């Protein structure tokens, strides 16, 4: 694809996530190109690197982005700041023509897990990328609920303390709320719960996720496992370091041996346990920071699909008429 056909993108947030995303766009995207890197600290490594690469920069935040001469050409803005900052940024972007991908837990727009519901949101102007734990685990819950009813889903996401910057630490409450809701709204669970652990182990550990799903009735275990493996392969399409750590586990609870749930009484059926590990691509961040890598990889996958979809529509009058 020729350079002139790529979509110019801007990144707000010149920290770890924003800088990693910039390098991904520059090294690996065939549909996107860097249009601007935005921060608030002129001495940040992200802004220095962007300037070195010839990317337009500003240390004046959202106002600086809007004032850049090439803002009129920007198609997508990635917001890698914080939940509170995103809400303020969106107020200033919502009346422009750009599309916004929110990498914070703000959840202003619909939540998106690329392999599950991206095709439902190709025309939205603000999508929330949920959380790192959500990007890793919601696909597994969705895979299970596609073949059997999931009464309850619980996920435990454990990441290296070193990979959790000030933005992540400031948004722990939003992380649990946004992820829990995504397990229900996108994953299809009746109820959802998310737990996040910052592990201080040295050397730093890789991102680990455990998914527990309670499936009612007498489901086809082989069908559940096949659905999980198929979904894992789809995630690996844009996050190569995503993998099941061991075989899917099943535990059956009968009327004679029910599982007691404090909030809803006894449960009979099958508990499905999926254990995952995410190794980062180490474009900018260390390999142990898979929690950050899965966010930037998912966001880039959405932006590239947006670019593909809208470029195809623009070139095809019949599609334009159908959309109208």
């Amino acid at each position: 694809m020729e350079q002139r056909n790529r979509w110019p993108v801007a990144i707000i947030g010149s920290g770890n996530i924003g800088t990693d995303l910039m390098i991904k766009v520059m090294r690996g995207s065939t549909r996107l190109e860097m249009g601007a890197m935005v921060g608030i600290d002129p001495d940040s490594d992200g802004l220095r690197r962007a300037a070195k690469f010839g990317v337009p920069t500003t240390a004046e935040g959202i106002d600086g982005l809007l004032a850049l001469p090439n803002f009129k050409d920007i198609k997508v803005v990635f917001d890698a700041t914080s939940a509170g900052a995103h809400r303020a940024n969106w107020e200033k972007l919502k009346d422009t023509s750009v599309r916004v991908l929110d990498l914070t837990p703000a959840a202003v727009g619909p939540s998106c897990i690329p392999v599950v519901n991206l095709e439902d949101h190709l025309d939205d102007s603000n999508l929330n990328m949920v959380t790192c734990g959500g990007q890793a685990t919601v696909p597994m819950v969705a895979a299970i609920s596609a073949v059997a009813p999931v009464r309850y889903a619980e996920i435990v996401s454990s990441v290296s303390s070193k990979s959790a910057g000030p933005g992540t630490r400031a948004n722990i409450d939003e992380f649990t709320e946004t992820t829990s809701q995504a397990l229900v709204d996108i994953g299809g669970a009746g109820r959802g719960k998310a737990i996040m652990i910052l592990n201080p182990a040295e050397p730093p550990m890789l991102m680990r996720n455990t998914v527990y799903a309670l499936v009612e009735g007498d489901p086809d275990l082989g069908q559940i496992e096949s659905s999980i493996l198929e979904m894992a392969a789809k995630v690996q399409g844009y996050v190569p370091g995503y993998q099941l750590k061991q075989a899917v586990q099943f535990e059956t609870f009968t009327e004679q041996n029910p599982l007691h749930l404090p909030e809803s009484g006894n449960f009979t059926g099958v508990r499905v346990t999926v254990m995952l590990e995410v190794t980062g691509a180490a474009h900018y961040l260390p390999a142990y920071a898979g929690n950050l890598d899965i966010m930037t990889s998912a966001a880039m996958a959405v932006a590239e699909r947006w670019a593909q979809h809208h470029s195809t529509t623009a070139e095809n009058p019949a599609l334009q008429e159908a959309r109208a």
Side-chain angles (χ1 to χ4, degrees), residues 113-132:
I113 306 293
V115 291
V116 182
N117 69 337
L118 173 55
E119 297 303 304
D120 297 330
H121 297 292
L122 294 179
D123 295 314
D124 283 276
S125 57
N126 183 317
L127 286 185
N128 175 254
M129 299 310 299
V130 194
T131 61
C132 58

Side-chain angles (χ1 to χ4, degrees), residues 174-192:
E174 288 90 346
F175 173 97
T176 56
E177 293 168 6
T178 299
T179 307
S180 297
Q181 195 61 46
L183 294 171
V184 175
D185 294 343
I186 305 176
R191 291 193 302 118

Side-chain angles (χ1 to χ4, degrees), residues 10 40 59 96 140 145 167 208 234 278:
I40 56 174
T96 69
M140 296 294 99
S145 65
R208 297 281 179 85
K234 290 180 180 179
V278 184

Side-chain angles (χ1 to χ4, degrees), residues 128-187:
N128 175 254
M129 299 310 299
V130 194
T131 61
C132 58
Q135 289 295 336
T137 63
V138 171
M140 296 294 99
V141 177
I144 299 168
S145 65
V147 297
V150 176
R151 175 172 168 179
Y152 172 76
E154 179 174 310
I155 70 100
V156 181
S157 185
S158 182
V159 304
S160 168
S161 182
K162 280 192 172 181
S163 71
T168 299
R169 295 172 185 273
N171 287 301
I172 295 295
D173 288 346
E174 288 90 346
F175 173 97
T176 56
E177 293 168 6
T178 299
T179 307
S180 297
Q181 195 61 46
L183 294 171
V184 175
D185 294 343
I186 305 176

Side-chain angles (χ1 to χ4, degrees), residues 56 116 148 186 209 238 245 317:
V116 182
I186 305 176
N209 301 277
Y238 55 91
K245 192 61 180 172

Side-chain angles (χ1 to χ4, degrees), residues 248-296:
V248 181
Q249 299 178 19
F250 300 99
E251 185 175 3
T252 300
F253 298 91
T254 65
E255 293 286 353
Q256 292 71 38
N257 180 36
L259 176 66
H260 180 70
L261 302 178
E263 295 182 8
S264 56
N266 289 343
F267 165 81
T268 59
V270 176
R271 177 165 60 195
V272 184
T273 302
V274 184
M275 296 186 180
L276 305 161
E277 182 176 87
V278 184
T279 304
H283 290 133
Y284 172 72
L285 303 162
Y288 63 74
N291 53 308
L292 304 182
D293 187 79
I294 197 170
M295 287 292 288
T296 55

